Amino acid sequence: MQAIAAGMLAGFLNGLLGAGGGILAVALLSRSGLARKEAHATALALMLPLTVISLVVYQLHGNLPLKQVWPFLFPALLGALAGAWLLKKTPLLWVRLLFGLLVLYSAVRMLLQ
């Protein structure tokens, strides 16, 4: 039952905010006993179908300018490959620090805009 509620909340956050569901999923998966890197990988596997559903809904409502996607797609795929490869080689402390800094940066940016 707890997994169902957590999954619904992660999907809700992803659909409403476009982010946040993965953060929640990593925390809950870590708490359930997965190692941190396994929790990150599992959260990504969870977020893929949620992102596809959100993408379809945004497209149906006319909120997805596909012309702006194409210049970013290939570089983003290369970045994802590099990040996944680097995750295996990066100490957990550095991953936590980088992630924390990214969340702080995002929070400050959102508050100031």
Side-chain angles (χ1 to χ4, degrees):
M1 187 67 160
Q2 186 179 16
I4 292 171
M8 288 182 70
L9 184 56
F12 175 77
L13 288 173
N14 196 59
L16 179 66
L17 304 175
I23 294 169
L24 177 66
V26 169
L28 293 172
L29 289 165
S30 294
R31 186 176 291 168
S32 74
L34 284 179
R36 194 64 146 173
K37 290 181 181 181
E38 291 173 339
H40 279 271
T42 305
L44 286 172
L46 289 170
M47 299 319 299
L48 179 61
L50 298 179
T51 301
V52 169
I53 290 170
S54 296
L55 175 83
V56 169
V57 171
Y58 283 124
Q59 175 64 28
L60 289 174
H61 287 98
N63 296 320
L64 180 62
L66 286 174
K67 288 181 184 178
Q68 274 72 26
V69 171
W70 299 116
F72 293 93
L73 186 60
F74 185 69
L77 291 172
L78 290 176
L81 287 170
W85 175 80
L86 195 59
L87 180 62
K88 291 188 268 184
K89 300 179 178 316
T90 305
L92 181 58
L93 178 62
W94 284 95
V95 173
R96 286 183 177 175
L97 179 63
L98 180 61
F99 185 72
L101 289 172
L102 179 63
V103 170
L104 282 173
Y105 168 76
S106 297
V108 168
R109 189 165 172 245
M110 286 178 69
L111 288 172
L112 296 178
Q113 287 183 345

